[in-house]
Amino acid sequence: MNRDLTPARICSLPADAFYIPDFISEEEEALLLQKVGGAPRPRWTHLSRRRLQTWPSSLTKSNTLLDSSLPSWLITPIIEPRFHALGIFTDSPHKSPNHVLVNEYRPGQGIMPHEDGAAYYPIVATVSLGAPIVLDIYPKNDPAERRNPQFRILQERRSLLVTKERLYSDFLHGIAEVTRDEDLGAQSICNWGLLGDPGPFEVGSYARETRTSLTFRDVLKVAKMGKTLNFLGGPK
Ligand SMILES: O=C(O)CCC(=O)C(=O)O
Ligand SMILES: [Fe+2]
């Protein structure tokens, strides 16, 4: 599987991660940002260091997704045809993502080192919009190391990053709360050789601008609406 992803493999990482620059066009990026920005205000959850949209809905307390489809702007062209053509979710239970978190980070914002946990099949496919950002990868069982990431992945705008398996389960990931990503270069950025255009980063730093991520996932537990209706005493 994932034959077509092979050239995109980030070889210096211990387990599977893939990086594809220019995964979407500038027009597609503009349309996606318009859709995210045009979502009704209550769609946003305001967190202290970023804001978040959850599509099609938040998971229940037992990490269950109430079955409903993603909006079409999150399906075409990213999932269908591109993810399917690359076979990204072929091994996951629903063969396709059923849940998308949209995170928006202004300069100085980020996300603490964390793992995405057992609600999802261990694959995350992230499309970056608006501006580049560095994703830090930390060893999971070594709190002393957490101030120094073990790996750093530079995500250009319009790129795709796929992280899976051991990178998903044995490491933490986070985004530093900084106004400028520093220490950029071939030595410190593990996907440097895969960047679409390293030019803007060759000076070694890059000022943050608002960056939005679409993270596509497959939630393992899905409650079918039919069953929910039965449970509520609705028609069988
Ligand atoms: O914005 C990103 O690229 C990472 C987001 C993330 O880690 C999450 O939502 O769990
Ligand atoms: Fe995460």
Side-chain angles (χ1 to χ4, degrees), residues 111 114-116 173 217:
I111 186 167
H114 67 281
E115 55 185 314
D116 287 350
H173 56 277
R217 305 135 187 274

Side-chain angles (χ1 to χ4, degrees), residues 101 103 105 111 114 116 126 155 173 175 211 213 215 217:
L101 301 183
N103 282 293
Y105 309 84
I111 186 167
H114 67 281
D116 287 350
T126 304
Q155 292 172 271
H173 56 277
I175 291 173
R211 180 263 189 175
S213 61
T215 59
R217 305 135 187 274

Side-chain angles (χ1 to χ4, degrees), residues 7-12 19-21 152-154 156 185-198 201-202:
R9 171 115 202 260
I10 305 176
C11 297
S12 53
Y19 180 80
I20 300 182
R152 299 170 72 224
I153 302 172
L154 177 56
E156 296 165 286
Q187 296 309 310
S188 64
I189 296 295
C190 64
N191 60 323
W192 188 261
L194 292 167
L195 293 177
D197 179 12
F201 312 110
E202 271 160 2

